[in-house]
Amino acid sequence: MPPRLQTLLINACLFPLEEKFNHFFREMGSHQLAPRDFINRLLTNLRCYMIRVGEVIQTEGNQFDQLFFFAKGRGVLTRNFRSKYYGKFQLEVVELPEGSFYGELCILLGNTSYFNLQIGNTKSDQKDEGLVTKNGDSMAMVYSIEASAFKELCKDYPEFGTHIYTRAEIREAYFKHLAFMRCSEFSYNMKVIEIEKSMEGNVFDL
């Protein structure tokens, strides 16, 4: 097959995935796309997995060895907390809808994960029959690229690699802020519940 025809065929096959993960390939605040070779190399290195709802992909405190993309279904970032009043508990911090991605900053910096990454429940108004098994299990379609392949791509395309790094830092800071806010909200609500319970059955003379 002539090289030009081969390129056209590859682009045609990969176009649906490029559209699905469009936000990953665009620079913040502009419509500038990543280099075409970068897009093609990343997409051709993706592996597809069907994962059950509720399954944890990555646990807090461990290193990412893959960058994940959510094609069908959604991901959820959760954070483990410990309180002297409430003990251990886990809060959902943010939802990663279809087309989202996660894990790039941990890979580029070699950091451990600040969050648990798991498959979230499919919303009732977004059910896709193609993601339900014969046993009735809800599934998500997740693509991933190995950390080594992703780092090599960023090295070969340093300009766009710098953009990915900067964007990842902003996203991570935002997610951590959400985690703090969720924990604060949870603690406040629990204190209100404790106060209300302590008042049950009491009669106050005004």
Side-chain angles (χ1 to χ4, degrees):
M1 181 182 297
R4 183 173 179 277
L5 183 59
Q6 185 177 14
T7 301
L8 290 174
L9 181 60
I10 291 174
N11 289 342
C13 293
L14 297 180
F15 182 74
L17 285 181
E18 181 181 336
E19 285 291 290
K20 174 65 73 172
F21 308 133
N22 183 271
H23 292 295
F24 183 83
F25 298 117
R26 292 190 180 277
E27 293 187 6
M28 294 180 295
S30 75
H31 296 290
Q32 182 69 33
L33 272 176
R36 170 51 51 188
D37 287 346
F38 177 97
I39 296 174
N40 287 350
R41 280 180 58 184
L42 187 144
L43 294 177
T44 53
N45 275 281
L46 291 180
R47 294 183 179 181
C48 182
Y49 302 90
M50 300 296 290
I51 306 176
R52 285 185 174 82
V53 166
E55 186 170 333
V56 177
I57 302 175
Q58 183 71 36
T59 55
E60 177 185 320
N62 290 316
Q63 286 191 324
F64 271 76
D65 57 1
Q66 299 177 76
L67 168 59
F68 297 96
F69 297 84
F70 295 89
K72 290 288 185 180
R74 67 189 186 103
V76 174
L77 294 181
T78 65
R79 173 76 174 162
N80 300 325
F81 292 96
R82 181 192 298 272
S83 166
K84 63 179 180 180
Y85 299 109
Y86 317 120
K88 295 180 181 179
F89 61 96
Q90 187 179 86
L91 291 178
E92 179 176 325
V93 176
V94 66
E95 172 187 322
L96 302 173
E98 288 187 7
S100 296
F101 52 90
Y102 191 73
E104 70 278 29
L105 186 62
C106 295
I107 291 173
L108 294 175
L109 285 181
N111 290 347
T112 57
S113 177
Y114 189 76
F115 299 100
N116 303 297
L117 175 60
Q118 64 189 76
I119 302 300
N121 292 319
T122 303
K123 295 183 178 179
S124 58
D125 60 343
Q126 296 179 343
K127 286 186 177 178
D128 187 330
E129 293 182 359
L131 296 178
V132 178
T133 67
K134 292 180 180 179
N135 296 327
D137 295 330
S138 296
M139 307 288 286
M141 182 184 295
V142 180
Y143 286 83
S144 72
I145 180 173
E146 295 290 335
S148 57
F150 177 62
K151 287 192 287 188
E152 184 177 344
L153 261 177
C154 291
K155 183 179 178 180
D156 291 345
Y157 298 89
E159 185 174 343
F160 196 73
T162 299
H163 159 69
I164 290 175
Y165 179 87
T166 302
R167 179 180 63 190
E169 283 191 312
I170 294 172
R171 276 162 42 90
E172 193 76 359
Y174 173 67
F175 292 155
K176 287 181 178 180
H177 173 72
L178 286 180
F180 173 78
M181 296 299 293
R182 288 285 291 120
C183 183
S184 299
E185 179 186 8
F186 175 84
S187 298
Y188 173 79
N189 290 338
M190 290 302 296
K191 287 177 182 177
V192 170
I193 291 172
E194 285 186 353
I195 292 172
E196 289 176 345
K197 284 184 176 180
S198 69
M199 294 174 63
E200 287 179 1
N202 292 331
V203 178
F204 297 91
D205 293 323
L206 301 178

